[in-house]
Amino acid sequence: MDLSLTAVRDHAAFLERLRLVPDQPGVYLWKDATGRLLYVGKSKRLRDRMRSYFGSPRSLNGKTRRLVSHIADFEIIVTQSELEALLLEMNVIKQHRPPYNILLKDDKTYPYIKVTVNEEWPRVFATRQVLNDGARYFGPYASAGSVYHALDILNRLFAFRPPYECKDDKFNRHRKLGKPCLYHQMRRCLGPCVLGLVTKETYRQAIDSVCRFLEGKSDQIVRELRAQMEEAAERLEFERAAYLRDRIQAIAKISERQQVLRTVDTDQDVIAFAREDGSAVVQVLFIRGGKLINAEPFTLQGAEDESDEALLSSFLTQFYQNAPTIPPSLLLADHVEEPLIIASWLQQKSGHRVEITVPRRGEKKQLVELAAANARQKLREIREQWLNSEQRAVAALSELRDLLELPALPRRIECYDVSNTQGQQSVASMVVFEHGEPRPAHYRRFKIKTVSGANDVASLREVISRRFRRAAEALGEAQQAAAAVEIEGDSEPSTTETNDADRQALERWADLPDLLLVDGGPAQVAAAQAALHELGFTQIPVVGVAKGPDRNRFDLVRAGCEPLVLARDSKALALVQRIDEEAHRFAIAYHRKLRNQAALRSPLEEIPGIGPKRKRALLKAFGSLDGIRRASVDEIAAVPGMTRKVAEELKSLL
């Protein structure tokens, strides 16, 4: 085995550890020199699989060669079976999201539709958490927009409690008033908040219809509604009969759109994909009761140089890991790795047999081709958006490089802004743009600790000192100094832990900007430069963004130079304006949050001797702060838990 292309330091010790790896099922974890997890894999024969990474480089694809070049360490976890190894691999990938694994693009969870059938008056709304709470879940959907559109249609059809406008507090308020809200008059709600408007049985029927519609059983709903319409007509309730007729027509119209292809009356998911230059999109068609009820595209990352079988296998395990329902049949565009193991896992998870097939002819093949065509279309849209965005970003960054005479394109730009109200609740923001696009996961916010009053220049110097002291710590240049400083109020913890999450958080501070923007003029630029020079980061250029009184100008300010006035049609102006306004927005949002928290804090909490219990007792006795002010000392002292001394002090302070 050849370890010359790896980051392994002690080759002999590494080879000896590899020799001791058992030929049993299990999971292996490749790590780099810092201990960061690079890749998680599974195998029924661990030793053989792991040794295969260190054979001839010609036998490896480009992605695997890059992985091998970073390998410095590994861990293994032996399991009892291949199925157990699959489950463990999925959990580790979900928790750590290693950079060399194939991953669903977004690390957030996907949205679902939740029906709270376990409640007295059930609600239907969007959620990103699937809990074992007795509710029913439908999805996942690729975007929140898909869920909101579906909820709007369902609410118009079945008039359940409006998803976002009828939370429990509003429901209980209208119940006390005995009067429904406007949605009842609009026939968008049956009015369960008011006794007598709808029975529990009728409302429960509407909720059951929602669930059946999401299951693709619209034919059953139409039959029941038609029977109800005929009964209403016989009772001469023509208005209700017309209402039911309109609902039947609406459901029938939606069902016609679902009849794209008619298969056997069964539930199945059709999965196909499209890929190009490392990008990959997987399209899922959800067929229930023989009808196409939904189609969602999902983007994958890390698909470069991976086989089609590996791509589909990774998607299936990640997609169905949190899916609330799994149909008995999966139609795939290609075969997957270890289909029997995946089928066994799906059966174990769903409680029923799951058949995985790759159709080659007939209507099922047409469904797969339909999914593939949708995947190709979505991939084209994504690539066109990316290319347009990339071209705009490169043009703006190139112009900015030339204007500021930078040595290269500024890959990473950080921008800082300070916000306060007359020196109160003073905070600062740090926003990050990479390749001209925002990176919200790298944003940070700071509470100003050492500066009193409205001093933006001093506040900015404090924040930049704290940020780059973290960078020095992460880079190993000022570990002792940084460890002694407790940075309270920052987004990241100040201590360095050995676990992966803290290590990755610390590494983010070590990613230095190619350009540092500050909101302000020469004074702010000088303060930022002084903070950087103190910590040895003299190579980072600092530029101020000076705006006019109406924020109608964004001039660039550099130390010892005349301000650069950007042309109105300048691409650099558009980028700088976007970055500066994002920093301003982020700082204002944090400041308002702290200000609102302070406003909600009761003045009683500032009075010595008044703890939570006495505060509750006083408010219970007098109703409000004004009631306490109007009360006499004797009345306050008579409240349980109070003393006359505390009552006198309270009265004098109020």
Side-chain angles (χ1 to χ4, degrees):
M1 289 185 293
D2 182 11
L3 300 181
S4 61
L5 301 178
T6 70
V8 176
R9 293 180 180 178
D10 190 338
H11 290 193
F14 191 88
L15 290 173
E16 178 62 20
R17 289 182 62 202
L18 270 182
R19 188 183 65 81
L20 297 176
V21 172
D23 262 352
Q24 293 178 266
V27 171
Y28 58 93
L29 298 83
W30 293 126
K31 297 185 175 184
D32 66 11
T34 67
R36 183 172 64 109
L37 187 59
L38 298 172
Y39 181 81
V40 178
K42 68 178 185 308
S43 177
K44 60 182 178 182
R45 299 174 65 88
L46 276 174
R47 186 196 306 158
D48 290 348
R49 181 71 187 96
M50 293 175 69
R51 288 166 64 94
S52 70
Y53 284 84
F54 308 109
S56 170
R58 296 179 181 178
S59 64
L60 306 176
N61 60 42
K63 178 182 175 182
T64 307
R65 285 197 295 271
R66 290 193 297 275
L67 165 63
V68 169
S69 69
H70 291 94
I71 291 176
D73 195 8
F74 68 85
E75 289 183 18
I76 62 167
I77 305 173
V78 178
T79 60
Q80 297 294 323
S81 65
E82 294 176 67
L83 177 57
E84 192 176 318
L86 173 68
L87 294 172
L88 180 58
E89 179 195 40
M90 288 189 303
N91 289 329
V92 176
I93 290 174
K94 180 181 178 181
Q95 180 180 357
H96 296 284
R97 297 184 64 80
Y100 285 90
N101 282 95
I102 301 174
L103 303 170
L104 279 172
K105 183 79 173 181
D106 298 318
D107 54 6
K108 63 177 177 57
T109 53
Y110 285 98
Y112 298 82
I113 291 178
K114 179 176 181 177
V115 185
T116 59
V117 294
N118 50 324
E119 296 179 353
E120 183 180 12
W121 299 100
R123 296 176 59 210
V124 185
F125 56 92
T127 182
R128 292 187 184 273
Q129 287 186 314
V130 179
L131 306 174
N132 187 19
D133 57 359
R136 294 200 60 184
Y137 295 86
F138 299 89
Y141 293 81
S143 67
S146 301
V147 177
Y148 300 148
H149 180 66
L151 287 173
D152 183 65
I153 291 174
L154 290 169
N155 182 245
R156 291 176 185 275
L157 289 175
F158 303 109
F160 50 82
R161 292 169 59 181
Y164 303 104
E165 294 81 6
C166 188
K167 295 183 179 180
D168 289 338
D169 55 348
K170 182 177 180 179
F171 182 88
N172 294 330
R173 186 166 65 251
H174 280 277
R175 169 150 287 193
K176 291 179 181 178
L177 291 172
K179 181 180 178 182
C181 68
L182 185 62
Y183 282 91
H184 177 69
Q185 299 177 26
M186 296 166 58
R187 291 193 167 180
R188 294 287 298 273
C189 181
L190 295 173
C193 58
V194 178
L195 295 176
L197 285 182
V198 62
T199 63
K200 288 185 180 180
E201 291 74 18
T202 302
Y203 187 79
R204 181 68 65 169
Q205 286 175 4
I207 295 297
D208 290 342
S209 296
V210 170
C211 295
R212 281 184 291 170
F213 188 87
L214 290 169
E215 292 169 348
K217 299 175 181 177
S218 56
D219 290 344
Q220 297 179 10
I221 301 172
V222 169
R223 285 197 297 269
E224 292 177 4
L225 291 177
R226 185 167 286 116
Q228 294 175 24
M229 180 184 68
E230 292 171 355
E231 290 176 7
E234 289 177 1
R235 294 194 299 269
L236 304 182
E237 298 174 356
F238 299 117
E239 186 176 352
R240 174 164 174 75
Y243 170 66
L244 293 170
R245 178 204 62 204
D246 294 342
R247 287 178 61 189
I248 291 170
Q249 291 175 351
I251 294 172
K253 189 174 182 179
I254 294 172
S255 298
E256 286 175 6
R257 294 201 297 266
Q258 294 174 339
Q259 302 273 3
V260 178
L261 286 173
R262 184 78 185 185
T263 63
V264 293
D265 291 337
T266 187
D267 296 347
Q268 52 194 7
D269 287 351
V270 183
I271 302 173
F273 61 90
R275 58 191 307 182
E276 183 181 351
D277 297 334
S279 301
V281 172
V282 178
Q283 181 78 34
V284 183
L285 305 182
F286 300 91
I287 297 176
R288 300 294 181 264
K291 295 177 182 176
L292 177 63
I293 66 166
N294 195 21
E296 294 287 338
F298 298 89
T299 307
L300 295 178
Q301 63 184 24
E304 181 184 357
D305 294 330
E306 297 284 357
S307 66
D308 293 347
E309 294 86 351
L311 186 149
L312 271 179
S313 299
S314 296
F315 176 77
L316 290 181
T317 53
Q318 293 180 66
F319 180 74
Y320 288 110
Q321 189 173 14
N322 295 320
T325 59
I326 302 173
S329 175
L330 303 183
L331 305 182
L332 307 184
D334 209 329
H335 294 283
V336 295
E337 295 176 338
E338 302 173 334
L340 295 179
I341 299 298
I342 292 178
S344 177
W345 166 66
L346 290 171
Q347 179 174 339
Q348 184 183 89
K349 181 173 173 57
S350 64
H352 58 74
R353 184 172 180 268
V354 178
E355 182 182 11
I356 300 177
T357 57
V358 183
R360 297 303 182 192
R361 64 179 66 88
E363 196 172 78
K364 291 183 177 180
K365 175 65 174 175
Q366 288 180 278
L367 283 171
V368 171
E369 290 174 348
L370 176 65
N374 278 273
R376 288 192 294 271
Q377 175 61 29
K378 185 63 178 179
L379 183 59
R380 279 195 296 270
E381 292 175 6
I382 291 172
R383 289 190 64 80
E384 286 176 6
Q385 291 172 1
W386 180 80
L387 286 172
N388 291 337
S389 175
E390 184 188 40
Q391 289 166 356
R392 288 194 299 269
V394 169
L397 292 172
S398 299
E399 187 176 333
L400 201 57
R401 175 199 60 195
D402 297 340
L403 285 169
L404 299 175
E405 300 177 350
L406 302 176
L409 288 181
R411 177 191 66 86
R412 178 183 171 101
I413 301 175
E414 292 181 5
C415 186
Y416 296 81
D417 192 12
V418 174
S419 178
N420 60 70
T421 301
Q422 296 180 345
Q424 299 298 312
Q425 309 299 338
S426 189
V427 300
S429 67
M430 163 187 144
V431 301
V432 178
F433 275 58
E434 290 184 350
H435 305 292
E437 293 296 326
R439 292 292 178 266
H442 294 195
Y443 289 8
R444 295 294 179 265
R445 57 194 189 186
F446 303 82
K447 288 182 183 177
I448 304 303
K449 296 168 48 183
T450 63
V451 179
S452 299
N455 190 334
D456 288 0
V457 174
S459 298
L460 187 64
R461 179 166 182 167
E462 176 197 322
V463 166
I464 292 179
S465 295
R466 287 161 60 181
R467 183 265 184 267
F468 286 95
R469 190 176 289 115
R470 288 291 190 81
E473 178 187 359
L475 294 169
E477 297 176 6
Q479 294 177 343
Q480 298 300 322
V485 179
E486 180 182 359
I487 308 180
E488 184 179 329
D490 291 2
S491 303
E492 297 287 350
S494 60
T495 56
T496 305
E497 301 292 340
T498 56
N499 59 63
D500 288 343
D502 288 342
R503 184 181 294 109
Q504 290 174 12
L506 188 60
E507 287 173 356
R508 284 184 177 176
W509 290 104
D511 198 354
L512 300 178
D514 302 304
L515 175 62
L516 193 150
L517 299 179
V518 294
D519 185 81
Q524 282 81 0
V525 171
Q529 285 183 329
L532 291 173
H533 284 212
E534 285 178 0
L535 293 165
F537 294 101
T538 57
Q539 78 280 12
I540 300 174
V542 180
V543 175
V545 183
K547 301 175 291 295
D550 299 322
R551 299 182 71 86
N552 56 354
R553 294 180 59 178
F554 287 79
D555 299 341
L556 302 185
V557 178
R558 296 174 294 171
C561 300
E562 289 296 320
L564 287 172
V565 181
L566 300 179
R568 284 284 187 178
D569 59 350
S570 165
K571 294 181 175 62
L573 170 63
L575 178 61
V576 168
Q577 183 176 359
R578 184 183 176 198
I579 295 173
D580 184 78
E581 290 184 343
E582 178 69 352
H584 182 70
R585 179 201 64 79
F586 196 53
I588 286 290
Y590 188 39
H591 170 67
R592 285 174 178 166
K593 177 182 177 182
L594 296 182
R595 189 179 63 194
N596 291 339
Q597 289 175 351
L600 292 172
R601 191 178 298 119
S602 172
L604 292 174
E605 297 176 9
E606 308 297 330
I607 298 175
I610 305 297
K613 289 184 178 179
R614 283 177 170 171
K615 172 188 163 186
R616 285 195 296 268
L618 288 167
L619 292 175
K620 183 178 180 180
F622 302 108
S624 67
L625 194 62
D626 287 337
I628 300 173
R629 286 195 179 100
R630 290 192 296 268
S632 67
V633 172
D634 292 335
E635 290 172 331
I636 295 174
V639 173
M642 291 292 293
T643 65
R644 185 168 187 84
K645 180 180 178 182
V646 174
E648 289 173 351
E649 186 173 1
L650 172 62
K651 188 68 176 174
S652 64
L653 291 173
L654 289 179

